[in-house]
Amino acid sequence: MSEAWETALAETEARDLDALNELLRIPSISALPEHDADVRSAADWMAAKLREAGVPEVELLPTGRNPIVFGSWHVDDAQPTAMIYGHYDVQPPDPLDLWVSPPFEPTVRDGKIYARGAADDKGNAFATINAIAALNAAQGGPKINVKFFFEGEEEIGSPSLPTFVHEQRERLACDFVISADGDMFGPDTPSLTLSSKGLAGCQINLRTADTDMHSGMYGAAMPNAVQHLVQLAATFHDADNRVAVEGFYDKIPELTIQERSDIAEVPFNEDAYRASVNAPALWGEKGYSPLERAWMRPTLDMNGIWGGFQGAGNKTVTPCEAHLKITCRLVPDQDPSEILDLIERHVQQHCPPSATVEVVRSPGSSHPFAVSKENPALQSAAEVLGDLFDRDPLYVRTGGTVPVAEIFQQELGSDMIFFAFGMPDSKVHAPNESLPVSAFKMARRAYCAYLNALVK
Amino acid sequence: MSEAWETALAETEARDLDALNELLRIPSISALPEHDADVRSAADWMAAKLREAGVPEVELLPTGRNPIVFGSWHVDDAQPTAMIYGHYDVQPPDPLDLWVSPPFEPTVRDGKIYARGAADDKGNAFATINAIAALNAAQGGPKINVKFFFEGEEEIGSPSLPTFVHEQRERLACDFVISADGDMFGPDTPSLTLSSKGLAGCQINLRTADTDMHSGMYGAAMPNAVQHLVQLAATFHDADNRVAVEGFYDKIPELTIQERSDIAEVPFNEDAYRASVNAPALWGEKGYSPLERAWMRPTLDMNGIWGGFQGAGNKTVTPCEAHLKITCRLVPDQDPSEILDLIERHVQQHCPPSATVEVVRSPGSSHPFAVSKENPALQSAAEVLGDLFDRDPLYVRTGGTVPVAEIFQQELGSDMIFFAFGMPDSKVHAPNESLPVSAFKMARRAYCAYLNALVK
């Protein structure tokens, strides 16, 4: 390739790297109220850079908390509209003493920029601004309509997002969303994400009496809440490690041959995966490979349990209450609310007469997200990545939940294309977060190429 | 009855009640180091009262912590030796705001003395001193040999007792021990206790990885410690609520017809028992009545469980460790150490390959205790109680553990006769502990009558 935008990018490269460092110096930690002004500074900085890049409409749109940096460059009604998603807030840097260089003093070592937010998500997000600036310099602007949507609450769970997107759905209308937040499968291995899982959670509160009891006086004749809860909890999985909640799998299609073969193509070392957390053995639903399970099979996960005495030594108590926290990772077309209905029914059916139980649904449910391999914007992305890396991208999935993907899909009808250039070892959310300088440069090129490729 | 000691008791009654109040004002809380001086004051007070009563040998015998108040009145080598057991320490009074009158300002309401320690055990213990004083005044002393053994660590589990009794076993030699610590079946229903249960405890630590994991990245393919623990814990009981640990019941004789009929004679209202803790239903080993279970059948009690996240809302973690606390209540001839061996074998057998597990034995094991209905000192007690209450005592048992009974039996070869006058509603260990003034008076008379009845 030797496009005009390549030249434009080369001309601004040193300046853009300096500017990225400037952005990385702003401790825009959304979780800490004492950094509210920094978060706002980062928003202002992003808006200013969008304006410098030539984006004609740039605004800070207020939410209940941190503003959305919104930009729009409308060029042609006949062309599709892409909305680029990213975020300008970062995770807290603790524990500080594990950082080799200070988190908000970006430092290059061995070709990597070390700083909080380098990969997640300032490097990616700013590369999209560099790209639009280069397209402006090289060809007078993008060939398709481009919107920018940078939020400031991603690292605190995007609490304002659902309401904001719903209320602003006309302004945000687009044909697809390009997520500039995420990573590649490997440094030389581009990847495209086809799905993320949904989430539904609840807390089970089991009670057997209105007071803890002396186990000598009561233990042999009164119900023990911890015992009843473990017996109830043990009914959630069968001997094949399948979820034993009736109806749990009803809405899930079986994996297709194509899906299984796509997954089988992904390099995955089971033993290295197991050894990475020092587990004695892998575990999971019979009949599926670990990666099939992680990416395409739903789970019922026990996140926490407690009841009775947790101190040192003996306390001879017959506990009257015990609690279990559950979240389910969901796949299409499981519905979070229906799944919680099924769990509630299961719990009531398996609760013995000597206990009472309540299921309290947790906030933060999320639908599963999936994009078809046939989606034209995804196919364009595959072609662009294939050209840039000289190899076809892997089709991957995530077992994690990406609420923003599902929100845009539900509210705008727009699929999300995950197109970002963090590295698997970028240590996002951890000390010594980094982004290779080469990845930043690749990102700038990739966004230019992709935006141009999307033209009809 | 109109024994000479009756007159002596009547003469000192008002003074003895005042003295009891004096003792109850001493906050001898053994669990709280800031009350060490009060604990010591209570010991000194008890020793002084023994001396005033005429007991010729009175000493404070040091232990690792709080002294034993020891007294001895040897009258005749041909007569049996009884050792009276009690304790001068008390439970902490918290929560203070639930007390109607302050815990260490004894107050009489509706004929009951309200104070921490009124029933457990200062009222009972001091009544034995009143009794020996009355026997001294009325007949120049007891007719049998009497020893006194008041400890100051009962409410913290008698940590010094095993070593102390072992080392001092010659000094403590006696034919039987009279426990002045405990209660009657009901205000007008005398009772004699035939057995108490032993205790063996452990903590099960289960691990599936060396770090908590993101449930989206790992939950479908890595072992979850909470899930593994509940599945393991659910194997401890079978569908009949019997303990499913192999060998658990091997050393236990079946209940005899006499034992079942003794228990059936005890007034016991299952529904009131259930309602007392507001349990939806009773629970327990199939084939036995609730009272048979509570008194004569061993249990495996889950006292506490914890692992993973316990906060509000969702945390999508796959926990790498989880913990369960167990104690077993044992009956003759179960051995605590053998039972823990069986549990450990069970746990290892039922631990899946995707987890590792360790069983950490808790300190404080105790053998079960039982005294024969044919024991002569027990039969004397039955006669005395029959006379005093004009009805035969009930033969009862306790599901609780009385380590001191087992220690005296093992070290001195002396059975314990439970002979004390607390009430079932005395609220020992709880706010508003009380002892009826009438119970205190009955106790003083009963100890006089019993000591005299034991003469050969």
Side-chain angles (χ1 to χ4, degrees):
Chain A
M1 267 187 289
S2 76
E3 306 272 1
W5 50 258
E6 295 266 24
T7 312
L9 281 178
E11 277 171 9
T12 60
E13 185 178 287
R15 199 175 68 207
D16 290 345
L17 271 165
D18 286 348
L20 174 59
N21 285 338
E22 199 176 287
L23 176 59
L24 291 171
R25 280 189 205 100
I26 305 173
S28 50
I29 306 164
S30 50
L32 303 177
E34 61 266 36
H35 285 285
D36 279 356
D38 298 315
V39 173
R40 180 60 192 242
S41 288
D44 290 337
W45 192 97
M46 296 290 278
K49 291 295 169 186
L50 281 174
R51 289 189 193 99
E52 278 177 33
V55 178
E57 287 176 48
V58 178
E59 285 181 80
L60 293 197
L61 301 176
T63 71
R65 193 150 167 191
N66 300 327
I68 305 295
V69 179
F70 180 77
S72 177
W73 196 331
H74 186 84
V75 294
D76 186 344
D77 284 346
Q79 291 296 332
T81 300
M83 183 160 75
I84 293 172
Y85 167 83
H87 62 92
Y88 60 84
D89 63 326
V90 299
Q91 280 275 318
D94 313 274
L96 279 174
D97 57 335
L98 295 186
W99 284 80
V100 173
S101 51
F104 297 106
E105 295 177 20
T107 307
V108 176
R109 289 192 300 278
D110 299 329
K112 294 180 183 178
I113 307 168
Y114 284 88
R116 169 58 81 228
D120 183 19
D121 175 47
K122 289 174 174 175
N124 277 298
F126 185 50
T128 69
I129 303 179
N130 298 167
I132 202 81
L135 294 182
N136 189 16
Q139 60 193 45
K143 294 177 180 169
I144 63 166
N145 307 304
V146 180
K147 293 179 180 177
F148 292 87
F149 185 106
F150 298 129
E151 67 159 319
E153 301 178 8
E154 201 274 343
E155 299 297 3
I156 52 171
S158 304
S160 304
L161 207 70
T163 304
F164 180 86
V165 174
H166 179 74
E167 288 174 354
Q168 300 284 327
R169 58 195 181 281
E170 288 180 30
R171 188 199 299 257
L172 304 177
C174 57
D175 295 293
F176 46 87
V177 177
I178 300 170
S179 174
D181 183 23
D183 54 25
M184 294 170 53
F185 188 82
D188 303 312
T189 314
S191 52
L192 286 165
T193 300
L194 296 180
S195 65
S196 63
K197 287 182 178 172
L199 190 75
C202 62
Q203 179 171 318
I204 295 170
N205 299 316
L206 186 143
R207 180 169 281 281
T208 54
D210 61 8
T211 177
D212 282 352
M213 295 162 277
H214 184 294
S215 74
M217 305 298 124
Y218 294 95
M222 286 292 183
N224 177 315
V226 168
Q227 184 201 335
H228 280 48
L229 184 64
V230 301
Q231 289 177 334
L232 174 60
T235 66
F236 279 124
H237 292 86
D238 69 15
D240 291 335
N241 299 332
R242 281 172 64 87
V243 177
V245 173
E246 195 183 332
F248 189 78
Y249 296 100
D250 281 2
K251 297 206 169 170
I252 307 169
E254 197 38 82
L255 270 64
T256 64
I257 292 171
Q258 182 62 49
E259 286 166 341
R260 295 194 114 157
S261 105
D262 278 353
I263 291 177
E265 270 180 33
V266 174
F268 180 72
N269 182 325
E270 288 191 17
D271 197 58
Y273 177 66
R274 184 198 58 68
S276 71
V277 294
N278 200 24
L282 294 183
W283 173 94
E285 188 186 357
K286 199 172 167 181
Y288 298 91
S289 75
L291 212 46
E292 287 171 350
R293 300 199 296 266
W295 284 358
M296 295 201 71
R297 295 296 297 174
T299 60
L300 185 153
D301 301 308
M302 298 184 195
N303 308 120
I305 193 167
W306 69 101
F309 178 64
Q310 304 185 12
N314 287 333
K315 183 177 177 184
T316 49
V317 64
T318 298
C320 69
E321 59 179 303
H323 310 274
L324 178 69
K325 279 194 179 277
I326 283 176
T327 46
C328 292
R329 297 283 184 174
L330 308 177
V331 303
D333 289 315
Q334 288 178 305
D335 177 82
S337 164
E338 284 174 19
I339 289 296
L340 290 172
D341 290 344
L342 298 178
I343 289 174
E344 185 150 5
R345 192 175 64 185
H346 178 95
V347 165
Q348 296 298 350
Q349 281 174 347
H350 288 80
C351 178
S354 41
T356 57
V357 71
E358 61 168 1
V359 176
V360 180
R361 298 177 184 216
S362 306
S365 277
S366 207
H367 284 81
F369 165 83
V371 59
S372 164
K373 270 177 85 174
E374 314 308 317
N375 179 301
L378 189 83
Q379 293 188 329
S380 290
E383 283 161 26
V384 168
L385 292 172
D387 285 348
L388 285 169
F389 288 89
D390 203 22
R391 63 159 289 176
D392 286 339
L394 292 175
Y395 288 97
V396 302
R397 295 166 185 274
T398 174
T401 298
V402 187
V404 63
E406 182 249 327
I407 291 165
F408 287 133
Q409 200 174 51
Q410 297 280 320
E411 294 292 341
L412 311 179
S414 311
D415 285 344
M416 181 170 272
I417 311 299
F418 293 87
F419 194 85
F421 299 88
M423 290 295 127
D425 65 352
S426 279
K427 297 196 173 171
V428 301
H429 297 206
N432 303 310
E433 178 177 351
S434 69
L435 182 71
V437 175
S438 60
F440 177 65
K441 292 180 185 172
M442 175 60 86
R444 297 159 82 239
R445 296 174 62 212
Y447 292 120
C448 285
Y450 189 30
L451 290 176
N452 271 358
L454 289 163
V455 73
K456 268 189 190 160
Chain B
M1 267 187 288
S2 75
E3 306 272 1
W5 51 258
E6 294 265 23
T7 312
L9 281 178
E11 276 171 11
T12 61
E13 184 177 289
R15 200 175 67 207
D16 290 346
L17 272 165
D18 285 348
L20 175 59
N21 285 338
E22 200 176 287
L23 176 60
L24 292 171
R25 280 189 205 100
I26 305 173
S28 51
I29 305 163
S30 50
L32 303 176
E34 61 266 37
H35 285 286
D36 279 356
D38 297 314
V39 173
R40 180 59 191 242
S41 289
D44 291 336
W45 192 97
M46 295 290 278
K49 290 296 168 186
L50 281 173
R51 289 189 194 99
E52 279 178 34
V55 178
E57 287 176 49
V58 177
E59 285 181 80
L60 293 196
L61 302 177
T63 71
R65 193 151 167 189
N66 300 327
I68 305 295
V69 179
F70 181 76
S72 177
W73 196 329
H74 186 83
V75 294
D76 187 343
D77 283 349
Q79 290 296 332
T81 300
M83 183 161 74
I84 293 172
Y85 167 82
H87 63 92
Y88 59 84
D89 64 325
V90 299
Q91 279 275 317
D94 313 274
L96 279 174
D97 57 335
L98 296 186
W99 285 79
V100 173
S101 50
F104 297 106
E105 296 177 20
T107 307
V108 175
R109 289 192 300 277
D110 300 329
K112 294 179 183 178
I113 307 169
Y114 285 87
R116 168 58 82 230
D120 182 19
D121 176 43
K122 289 174 173 174
N124 277 297
F126 186 50
T128 69
I129 303 180
N130 298 168
I132 202 79
L135 294 182
N136 189 16
Q139 61 195 45
K143 295 177 181 171
I144 63 167
N145 307 305
V146 179
K147 293 179 180 176
F148 291 87
F149 184 107
F150 298 128
E151 68 159 318
E153 301 178 6
E154 201 276 342
E155 300 297 3
I156 52 172
S158 304
S160 303
L161 207 70
T163 304
F164 180 86
V165 174
H166 179 73
E167 288 175 353
Q168 300 284 326
R169 58 194 181 282
E170 289 180 30
R171 188 201 296 259
L172 304 178
C174 58
D175 295 292
F176 47 87
V177 177
I178 300 169
S179 173
D181 184 23
D183 55 24
M184 295 170 52
F185 188 82
D188 303 313
T189 312
S191 53
L192 286 165
T193 300
L194 297 180
S195 66
S196 63
K197 287 182 178 171
L199 191 75
C202 63
Q203 179 172 319
I204 295 170
N205 299 317
L206 185 143
R207 181 170 281 281
T208 53
D210 61 9
T211 178
D212 281 353
M213 296 162 276
H214 184 295
S215 74
M217 305 298 125
Y218 294 95
M222 287 291 183
N224 177 315
V226 168
Q227 184 201 335
H228 280 48
L229 184 64
V230 299
Q231 289 177 335
L232 173 60
T235 66
F236 279 124
H237 292 86
D238 68 15
D240 290 334
N241 300 332
R242 283 171 63 86
V243 176
V245 173
E246 196 184 331
F248 188 79
Y249 296 100
D250 280 1
K251 297 207 168 169
I252 307 170
E254 195 39 81
L255 271 63
T256 66
I257 292 170
Q258 182 62 49
E259 286 166 341
R260 294 194 115 157
S261 109
D262 278 352
I263 292 177
E265 268 179 34
V266 174
F268 180 72
N269 182 325
E270 288 190 18
D271 197 58
Y273 176 67
R274 184 199 59 69
S276 70
V277 295
N278 200 24
L282 294 183
W283 173 93
E285 187 186 358
K286 200 172 166 181
Y288 297 91
S289 75
L291 213 46
E292 287 172 350
R293 298 198 298 266
W295 285 357
M296 296 201 70
R297 295 297 296 174
T299 60
L300 184 154
D301 301 306
M302 299 184 194
N303 308 120
I305 193 167
W306 69 102
F309 177 64
Q310 305 185 11
N314 287 334
K315 183 178 177 184
T316 49
V317 65
T318 299
C320 69
E321 60 179 301
H323 310 274
L324 178 69
K325 278 194 179 276
I326 284 176
T327 47
C328 292
R329 296 282 183 175
L330 308 178
V331 302
D333 288 316
Q334 289 179 303
D335 176 83
S337 164
E338 284 174 18
I339 290 296
L340 291 173
D341 289 345
L342 298 178
I343 289 174
E344 185 150 5
R345 193 175 64 185
H346 178 95
V347 165
Q348 295 299 351
Q349 281 174 347
H350 288 79
C351 178
S354 41
T356 57
V357 72
E358 61 168 0
V359 175
V360 179
R361 298 177 185 216
S362 306
S365 277
S366 205
H367 285 81
F369 165 84
V371 59
S372 163
K373 268 177 87 175
E374 314 308 318
N375 179 300
L378 189 82
Q379 293 187 331
S380 289
E383 283 160 27
V384 168
L385 292 172
D387 284 348
L388 284 170
F389 287 90
D390 204 22
R391 62 159 291 176
D392 286 341
L394 291 174
Y395 288 96
V396 301
R397 295 166 185 274
T398 174
T401 298
V402 187
V404 65
E406 182 250 325
I407 291 165
F408 287 133
Q409 199 174 53
Q410 298 280 320
E411 293 292 341
L412 310 178
S414 311
D415 284 344
M416 180 169 272
I417 312 299
F418 293 87
F419 195 84
F421 299 87
M423 290 295 127
D425 65 351
S426 279
K427 297 195 174 173
V428 301
H429 297 206
N432 303 310
E433 178 178 350
S434 69
L435 182 70
V437 175
S438 60
F440 177 64
K441 293 181 185 172
M442 175 59 87
R444 298 161 81 240
R445 295 174 61 210
Y447 292 120
C448 286
Y450 189 30
L451 290 177
N452 271 358
L454 288 164
V455 72
K456 267 189 191 162

